[in-house]
Amino acid sequence: MYLVKLNEVIYGFRLLKETEVPEISSKGYEFLHEKSGARLFFVENDDDNKVFSISFRTPPKDDTGVPHIVEHSTLCGSRKYPLKEPFVELVKGSLNTFLNAMTYPDKTMYPVASRNDKDFQNLMDVYLDAVFYPAMYEKKEVLMQEGWHYEIESPEEPLRYSGVVFNEMKGATSSPEDLLDTEIFKGLMPDTPYAFESGGNPEKIPDLTQEKFIAFHKKYYHPSNSYIFFYGDLDIEEKLKYLDEEYLSHFSRIDVDSEIPKQKPFDGVKRVVKEYPVGAEEDTKEKTFLTWNAVICDAEDYLTKSGLSVLTHALFETDAAPLRQAFIAAGIGKDVAASFETQLRQSILTVEITNAEEKDTERFYEILQTKLKELADNGIDRTLLEASLNYIEFKVREEDSGRIPKGLVYNIAVMGQWLYGADPARALFYEESLKKMREGLENGFFEDLIRRCLIDNPHQLLVTLRPSTTMAKEREEHTAQLLAARKAAMTKEEIQDIIDTTAHLKEFQQTPDTAEQLAMIPLLKLSDIRKNAEELPLEEKDVCGVKVLYSDVDTHGIAYLGLYTNIDAISEELQPYAYFLVSVLGGVDTKEHNYTELTNLENLSSGGIAYNLTSFSTKRNEKGWDAKGTVKMRALVRKLPEAAKLLKEILTGSVFTDKTRLKELVAQSLASAERGILNTPNQLMAQELASHITKAGAFDEKGGLPYYWFLKDLSEHFDERFDELSKKLTELLPMFCSRRGLTVSLTVSGKDYDSAVTALKPLLEGLPAKEFPKARREVIPEKANEGFMTSSRVQYVGKGGDYSKHGYEFTGSMRVLESIMRYGYLWTKLRVQGGAYGASAVFYRDGLMMFTSYRDPNLTETLDVYDTIADYIRSFTASDREMTKYIIGTISTVDMPMTPRMKGDTAAQLWLRGVTYDDRQKARDEILSTGIIDIQKLAGLVEACMKDNNYCVFGNEEKLTEHKDCFTKLVRVME
């Protein structure tokens, strides 16, 4: 790397420690910048997807959300970049592979990643200037926009709150999961900063003053309280020199009181009962959440944390998990979940029962303790432990972080040690822990963990979160009364001052940055961008008469298998049963094994198997779309024979005659669907909207809300419908996995191809070859304006159409328009001015286009914004520099790095959709050559789709009822 030796100083940085990390083929270097006190850790390897982050310890002292609001606000202009939102300008015009900032309960992180050296340097400089020299000190509008402000436009109007974080947290506190987390932290660690909501409680956010806001930044955003991280193939000497000269040398070391204290252990279990909001007409039966929580160990106790991760999976998370089985057998709740939070000063284990009753709280606790003691005394089944250990080890070795840069995953892991004074490199090692846990299978290590951490540990908390049909209304009424009282206490002059301030803020938000200011953001040239689309390896092969799409990728000894089955035989009437089928495969008995044995066998032989029904647009048939059954499996090549044998057993030998087990699975599926409604309403909104626009959307929608209602009805009438259910599942299984029309994707390195094919042949030969008559009919989408009422405090508003029906074809310039909308027009109108947390635009190849908002306080105002977009596009103008910026930002979304699994998956999906390399290259050429005229030409497309008047809103029941005339149908989601 470089010539500096241990304890020597280079550019103000003293090298404190060097560490070889063979697990990730890296070397770690720990530095201290002596003048400023900044800490720095560099993970050196040959990964070209470089990561930089600067993080600060930011313990909250109250519930105003000041850490969260400061995180937003630092990115709203700085000394060198005096724009209103440099962050947005970066997103528009950077080749970043990651660009964001995150607030945690005790820290704030500012990470960036890029594969382009110049871009990486640009991102780093903007972020460093933002955190050390933010414009928020001088611009009071920043706190008003990003945090909160009073808003009123005339003396007659009621006073109201607005602000991006305020509305974001209104959305978050509509979710029982978020409310649970808050109560768990507060209850388990009452004497620490974790007792406060770092994101902000909407009832307390308005207590944050400009003075407290600035004081927080001044105290914590100093190099002496910073943790700087580098990862990848980069010149660290160059970066150290830059950091020292441009930033750190201008600060002197100070003492920052940011230490995260440990919570003193409890004398015994504590109990908390709280409420969460549900709809006013919603049935509250079996809607209570029960959680048992325990503080387990300190951050630096890495072996205990590793062991508890395995135990959590083994005891609670699989169908073979004994605690899960015990709760379900006792009839406590409908589903069980567990999580082990290690990114804290003290790690927390949570066991959660959903769809329960409050009266079962003590029985839940008694069963938990009794079963844990039984396992500690009698021993845990070795096969169960080995299966979970194998599963955890597979995930660790696979290193598949999806779209998130691998270096950022390591960065977050490192912070889980480093922030609390432990060795940052320790988080990157796993071989020693795996070895000790393997030995622990024989020496009682896991049983001892149960005694020490779960039974004899008095630091426990029971949280009961029960539903309230009045809480949502009471919260809104309380806020309205508070605001009314405050307004009533104001003088006419004070009210006018708020009116003037509101107008000033809107003027500030609507005033664009000058060309000179925009030019201060460093920008790449189009010549810095690769001209050719990435080639994804794919060969068409034949194995046992089945088409195999083979991708030769270095997968480090892992095989990725995908089965795409023809499901034309599955009728619309059978479709909800098919969704249930794919949710239970592997969770019911087969002719050879019971479901607990299957679970262990799956974890012993593979990294997991997933089943689904998927639709996609395609050029491979005259309909323009298709639906497939999908099976995805990953396994080590050496274990592929066992994994493939198990998959064949599940697909051909599953039986559906166990009434008790199917009843449990219906209840679990219903609980899972309800969690989806509560936690991802934006996805359901988009799904419902698409169902009224395209045939593929109409198919997918059947797996959303209609499936939830199907499950609810099935659960309520299970006994009389069991025979029908068993019969239909048995009938569906061979339809789902028939060899007729089967396409297989296989991603594995060339040297392992023959071994993989040998392992797969028995599976392919063993699938049913019967040909079923086509039964699925075309669903014709129908226009609708739907409102879905929930207890949410915010809205999710979408509007869209099918541009292909208006004579338009997909072009790469549509991707550029997405960027212009997402980080230009919609960002300004819906987030900056409207207070929504987010907004997006999408244009798909099949004709579907949508505009959507996220955690939006508005409804009709947002729909009005969508209707103005065509006029904006028609008169769109931008400088050459701005167009270059939008093009580069668009390419960054196209060129996101892919893991080996993703390369094979993407190649297969493109083939199935009939999208060729030439198609992708054409779109890329169009993106790179997009000009103002190309964008303006899309105005007619958007206008036609908006005039189709297809829109969908998920949101607050009172808000939607207030605007009921906007909808052809209002639906109460959960009753």
Side-chain angles (χ1 to χ4, degrees), residues 220-283:
Y220 294 117
Y221 280 65
H222 188 282
S224 296
N225 190 45
S226 69
Y227 299 79
I228 299 170
F229 178 88
F230 283 101
Y231 166 91
D233 184 8
L234 52 83
D235 183 344
I236 192 62
E237 286 195 30
E238 174 190 271
K239 302 308 178 193
L240 296 178
K241 182 175 186 291
Y242 154 77
L243 282 170
D244 176 64
E245 293 179 353
E246 293 294 321
Y247 292 97
L248 300 182
S249 64
H250 303 288
F251 295 85
S252 295
R253 190 189 304 205
I254 63 172
D255 289 328
V256 180
D257 178 19
S258 64
E259 200 73 25
I260 311 296
K262 291 199 292 185
Q263 174 64 47
K264 181 182 177 182
F266 296 168
D267 296 329
V269 63
K270 292 190 175 183
R271 290 161 172 80
V272 170
V273 179
K274 294 290 181 179
E275 294 183 334
Y276 74 96
V278 297
E281 304 297 324
E282 191 172 328
D283 183 3

Side-chain angles (χ1 to χ4, degrees), residues 18 46 209 267 304 314 327 352 396 427 453 565 583 625 815 850:
E18 296 181 18
D46 60 2
T209 64
D267 296 329
T304 295
F327 295 134
E352 178 182 316
V396 168
C453 299
T565 67
S583 75
W625 77 282
R815 297 297 308 273
M850 292 190 288

